[in-house]
Every structure is written in structure tokens, then in C-alpha cells.
Amino acid sequence: MTLYAGIDCGTQSTKVVIVDSESAQILGEGFASHPLISEASGRREQHASWWTDALESAFCQAINNAEIDGKQIAAISVSGQQHGFVPLDQQGHVIAPVKLWCDTETAVENQMIIDALGGTQGALAQLGLMPQTGYTISKILWLKTHHPELWEQLDTVLLPHDYLNFWLTGVRVAEYGDASGTGLLNIRSREWDLHTINLVDDSGRLQHALPRLVTAETCIGTVLPDIADRLGISHQTKVASGGGDNMMAAIGTGNIKPGIITMSLGTSGTLFTYSDTPIIADSEMIAGFCSSTNGWLPLICTMNVTSATTTIQNFLNLDLNGFNHALEQTAPGANGLKMLPFFNGERVPQLPQAKASIHNIDSNNLNAHNLSLAVVESATYGLRFGIDLFRKQGIQANEIRLTGGGAKSAKWRQIVANIMNSPVICVTNSEAAALGAAIQAIWCDTLTEQDDKTELLAQICQRFVHLDESTLVKPDHTHVSCYEALYQDYLSLLQTEYPEVAI
């Protein structure tokens, strides 16, 4: 029995899974939450020590739940929330709270960077993607502008998963997939982009602070003895390169070859797919990230999925069963009730200041059933907008693999299949990022010079990633054409309310 651990450090919590590579089973899981610093200014921060404390707690839970000796764990890998900025000094101390992916306090700095790159087209030409406010690059400029005394101490720029790798091993490196979400990496060449770096800082400090880049199958080192003792694992335990949470979730859903789209029906909505070549999109709304499998991972993120449905659910004072029951009580189109579900603004399309709105209300359709269905349909139309962006770039999918809380609803799964006109199915494991990290750890530990890297990873994924056939839903062709017309109505409403949106 050879054991491996996958760690997923998200915004709300850290999760750990321990797997047996021989039986391809998850033996134990652990979980620990961390708080969030949130202010009206758009500040969204955490302290890095919260992550390491949570990692220790979750790791011990996972070992206890697995009922194993932690010294049997051969290798571990870390998945981390993308885009965060962990600034270290020369001694390896974190010198400021970590600005997260959802921090918008750096919007001014981000626009300055886009302008300096020559606007959207200039950014796409230079980097292969356009930096969004949440990306790391604007956080770096924000620190330099607002805290020059801390800037003078900056020695290393790390992302959240890079920092946990550093805490585990003492090694300061970055991996292509997560690094592509900084706004500082040329996704074509997989190199730090010197031109963009100099736009932020031409003194050489930032260039020096960016860590060495490694490929996805790299084992970066072994766990430091004192950390290993705290975790109850061997001093010889290897640490794989790890990656961003979306990159690890791609592995954990078996999305490592073209033709599959992973769609998350979570607080926000995420769409991503694998590509063997860089995707330099016409639209800045597609993030042409690298994958953590040495390929590419074009990604789209919408802001209003279960965050929107939960808002309506709470407004109607329904529990989850009541909300799902309400969805079954009315026909597609919610009896004419329409919604733009932009409770949190929107990223795709780019409408950060947008507000939610309800349209076409009359005395017959304003009820809980129609409101419930309208918010689910409109949130799904937002994801269809993203699918269409993919299709315009020639990205096609034979299958959609659903994750996230919304995917547990059979009715919602059917709505997705009908609106996308594609089969949808869930994976059996809900912790896709943590499982993806564990799979990567196995890959890095067992890969030999004689192995085909891609084929070995595919074999491991095939053993660990299982589709839940009971969740398979195919498009109901009696409703596909109906939903196509309803989606076109949604686009017309969207453009009426926001004429700047290009359809």
C-alpha cells in the first residue's frame, strides 16, 4: 500500500485527502476553515498563517480518519486558490496580509497596467490574456504604490500554493499553470514576461522576486524535518509541484484531453477545458491559462450562480428541498418571468457595476415557482454565454462534467443539458481539486524517464476519476429548441439593458 496526500487550500477552507495508489481509493479526508478579512473598499485578505494552521489541522484529521501511519505517505501535492499575492522578505517571512483573487481594491492599478500594455488587444498580444483586477500583477503594483516601506523588503513573490510549498520544503518555485494567473507570464512561451514586469517595476526588484518556474511533473523537494514531525509524516516525503485550484480540479475531473468541459455550479460559475496548444482568444473574457499538466487550460468565470440562486431562495424563505421542489412546478421560461442575475456584478460579460433585475412581471407569473426557475435559468444562460465564447474560438466539447453544489439538483442538471444541448454528468468525488492534487503527487512520484508523461497521467486519472452514471442527463430535444429561443430572448434583454455588451 503506497499512500499519497492532496491538499486544497481554498478561500473558505483547507481540505486534505489521503489516497491509496494501489486500490485507487480515498482512505481519509480532513477539513479546516479559515476566516476572511472583508471591507467595503474591496479589500479581501487572509493571513498566510491561517492556511498553515488549517493545513496542519486538516492533515491530522485525514490521517486519523484514514487510520493509517502518516509515515506511509510517499508524496503530497498542493492545490491553492489562484491569483493571491504572498510577499516574502529575504528571510522567508510574509511581510503583509495576502490579497486574494476576490480582492478588488487594486482596480485602479489593474487599469493602469492594461493601459500601459496598450489596452485589451495590447495585453492579449503581449501575454496571451488580459489581466483582470483579481490577478496578482495589480496587487504587486498596489503594494509598491501604497506601501513603499514594504516594497523595499520584498524578496520573493509567491502564490498561495507556492507559499504552502515553501512552508513545506523551504523551496521558492512556481509552476506554469498557477503562474499563468499572475498576469506576468507569457502563456505561449511559459516564461516571465520581462516587458510587463518592467511596466510594474523597472528597478529589477520584481524581476528578481519572481521564482524559478518548474514543469507540472516536477517533485520540488522533500518536507522539512520539523514540518514533517508536526504533520506526522516521513522526512523523505516528496512534494510535487502542485498548482492552482482550477488546474487541479481539471485533473480531479479527468479533464486532461480536448473535448471535455468542466463546469462548476458553485458560488460563481467556472468553465474550463484542456488544449494541447495555447488559446489566444479574440475575447479578453477567456483566460488562456496554462494547465498543471504541461498543456493549456482556457477558462471562463461568471460571478452569479449559486450565489444568485441562494439569494432568491433566502428571499422566498425556502429551504433547499423547497427550492428544488419549486423548480419542478413550472414550465421552461418561468411563465414569461425573466431575470438578469447580476447580484455581484458580472465578469462574463464584463459588467462589474451591473445590478440584478427582474423583467416581464405580471399578476400571473410573480410567484415562488417562477422566481426560482427564472434565477436558475438566467444563471445557466450566463454559463451558456461562456460556452458560446468557447465555440467562437473553435473549442468544442463532447461532454460537460458538472461540479459544485448546484450539480446536486437533478432538475438543474437537466436545464444545463437542455440549454447547452450537450450531455452532462457529475464525477463521484466532490473534492475535485484535492483529488487532482493527490493524482499529481502520484504522477510526480512514479514517473520515470522511460514513461510517456501524458499517458501515465491518463492512466492514473482513469483509475481515480469516476463518473456517476446515475447523474447522466442528455438533452431533452423537446425542450432544446424552446430553450434556444429563450436564450436568444435573454441575450436581447441583456443587450437592451447593457448596450455595450457585444453579442
Side-chain angles (χ1 to χ4, degrees):
M1 182 167 68
T2 307
L3 306 183
Y4 296 87
I7 300 164
D8 177 34
C9 178
T11 313
Q12 298 178 334
S13 63
T14 292
K15 307 175 190 73
V16 175
V17 299
I18 295 173
V19 305
D20 176 8
S21 65
E22 295 174 19
S23 66
Q25 297 295 315
I26 295 176
L27 303 183
E29 300 183 36
F31 166 91
S33 61
H34 15 83
L36 174 68
I37 300 168
S38 178
E39 295 181 359
S41 64
R43 181 188 182 200
R44 301 290 186 275
E45 296 174 350
Q46 289 174 330
H47 292 288
S49 61
W50 295 346
W51 303 337
T52 54
D53 290 345
L55 191 159
E56 284 193 60
S57 176
F59 209 96
C60 290
Q61 283 181 41
I63 287 176
N64 290 337
N65 291 337
E67 298 181 340
I68 51 99
D69 179 356
K71 291 183 171 55
Q72 295 175 278
I73 297 173
I76 62 182
S77 179
V78 177
S79 161
Q81 50 181 302
Q82 287 190 257
H83 312 306
F85 172 35
V86 188
L88 302 187
D89 65 14
Q90 194 168 19
Q91 288 71 44
H93 300 132
V94 181
I95 61 175
V98 180
K99 283 197 167 299
L100 306 180
W101 64 275
C102 47
D103 185 285
T104 57
E105 201 171 26
T106 66
V108 171
E109 285 76 16
N110 194 68
Q111 190 58 52
M112 290 170 62
I113 292 163
I114 293 171
D115 292 344
L117 284 166
T120 299
Q121 294 309 311
L124 292 173
Q126 185 67 36
L127 297 168
L129 50 70
M130 189 183 80
Q132 304 287 343
T133 298
Y135 290 11
T136 318
I137 184 171
S138 62
K139 298 172 173 63
I140 296 171
L141 180 57
W142 185 91
L143 181 77
K144 179 185 177 186
T145 302
H146 295 275
H147 296 282
E149 75 288 355
L150 296 178
W151 176 258
E152 293 301 317
Q153 300 175 41
L154 180 68
D155 183 74
T156 309
V157 170
L158 295 180
L159 293 160
H161 113 265
D162 300 330
Y163 175 73
L164 292 177
N165 279 351
F166 169 70
W167 181 79
L168 288 164
T169 66
V171 178
R172 309 185 195 200
V173 295
E175 169 274 335
Y176 297 135
D178 211 5
S180 62
T182 61
L184 290 162
L185 189 85
N186 184 316
I187 67 155
R188 303 175 189 85
S189 64
R190 302 183 198 262
E191 296 174 324
W192 297 122
D193 189 79
L194 186 58
H195 172 74
T196 306
I197 291 166
N198 286 334
L199 291 178
V200 177
D201 170 58
D202 60 4
S203 72
R205 178 177 294 278
L206 178 54
Q207 184 181 359
H208 166 79
L210 293 173
R212 174 173 60 90
L213 292 159
V214 298
T215 55
E217 79 285 357
T218 303
C219 277
I220 66 168
T222 56
V223 179
L224 294 167
D226 62 324
I227 301 297
D229 291 342
R230 285 157 67 176
L231 296 177
I233 59 179
S234 166
H235 295 186
Q236 281 72 52
T237 304
K238 298 176 183 177
V239 178
S241 64
D245 52 2
N246 289 307
M247 292 77 193
M248 293 292 107
I251 298 174
T253 56
N255 193 344
I256 59 170
K257 61 182 181 180
I260 298 168
I261 285 180
T262 299
M263 177 185 291
S264 173
L265 302 181
T267 304
S268 57
T270 309
L271 304 166
F272 51 76
T273 188
Y274 176 83
S275 174
D276 291 320
T277 57
I279 298 295
I280 312 300
D282 297 331
S283 170
E284 68 275 17
M285 290 180 281
I286 298 177
F289 294 144
C290 301
S291 73
S292 290
T293 57
N294 297 320
W296 283 265
L297 195 77
L299 179 147
I300 287 171
C301 181
T302 69
M303 299 302 291
N304 299 276
V305 183
T306 61
S307 58
T309 61
T310 301
T311 297
I312 294 299
Q313 178 188 326
N314 292 340
F315 173 72
L316 296 171
N317 197 28
L318 295 172
D319 61 16
L320 188 56
N321 287 334
F323 182 79
N324 284 328
H325 178 72
L327 297 179
E328 301 282 359
Q329 306 308 306
T330 188
N335 199 20
L337 198 68
K338 302 176 183 180
M339 186 178 296
L340 297 178
F342 306 143
F343 294 94
N344 298 306
E346 189 48 81
R347 183 178 291 177
V348 176
Q350 291 183 308
L351 298 167
Q353 306 304 318
K355 302 294 183 183
S357 55
I358 303 172
H359 302 262
N360 207 37
I361 303 170
D362 61 33
S363 59
N364 294 317
N365 64 18
L366 185 58
N367 58 48
H369 301 158
N370 291 321
L371 271 174
S372 299
L373 184 59
V375 70
V376 167
E377 288 178 337
S378 62
T380 310
Y381 293 147
L383 291 164
R384 166 66 188 273
F385 190 95
I387 291 279
D388 285 352
L389 288 174
F390 274 166
R391 289 169 175 164
K392 289 174 184 176
Q393 295 299 136
I395 300 170
Q396 299 295 328
N398 307 317
E399 178 185 281
I400 295 173
R401 296 186 178 179
L402 288 179
T403 63
K408 297 175 184 177
S409 166
K411 178 66 173 181
W412 201 342
R413 292 197 300 272
Q414 185 65 66
I415 290 170
V416 172
N418 292 340
I419 291 176
M420 310 302 170
N421 194 17
S422 172
V424 302
I425 194 168
C426 299
V427 292
T428 57
N429 178 63
S430 61
E431 301 300 341
L435 177 61
I439 291 170
Q440 193 206 51
I442 300 171
W443 184 41
C444 294
D445 184 49
T446 58
L447 184 67
T448 68
E449 290 185 5
Q450 289 72 42
D451 286 323
D452 181 311
K453 296 177 187 177
T454 304
E455 180 59 29
L456 178 61
L457 178 62
Q459 291 172 5
I460 300 169
C461 280
Q462 188 171 26
R463 295 183 62 233
F464 276 89
V465 179
H466 305 293
L467 303 180
D468 184 350
E469 295 297 336
S470 70
T471 67
L472 174 63
V473 178
K474 296 180 179 179
D476 179 344
H477 292 292
T478 62
H479 288 153
V480 167
S481 58
C482 172
Y483 266 120
E484 182 62 32
L486 290 168
Y487 175 62
Q488 295 304 321
D489 288 345
Y490 171 85
L491 293 180
S492 297
L493 174 61
L494 177 65
Q495 199 156 41
T496 298
E497 295 295 311
Y498 300 100
E500 66 271 29
V501 174
I503 303 300

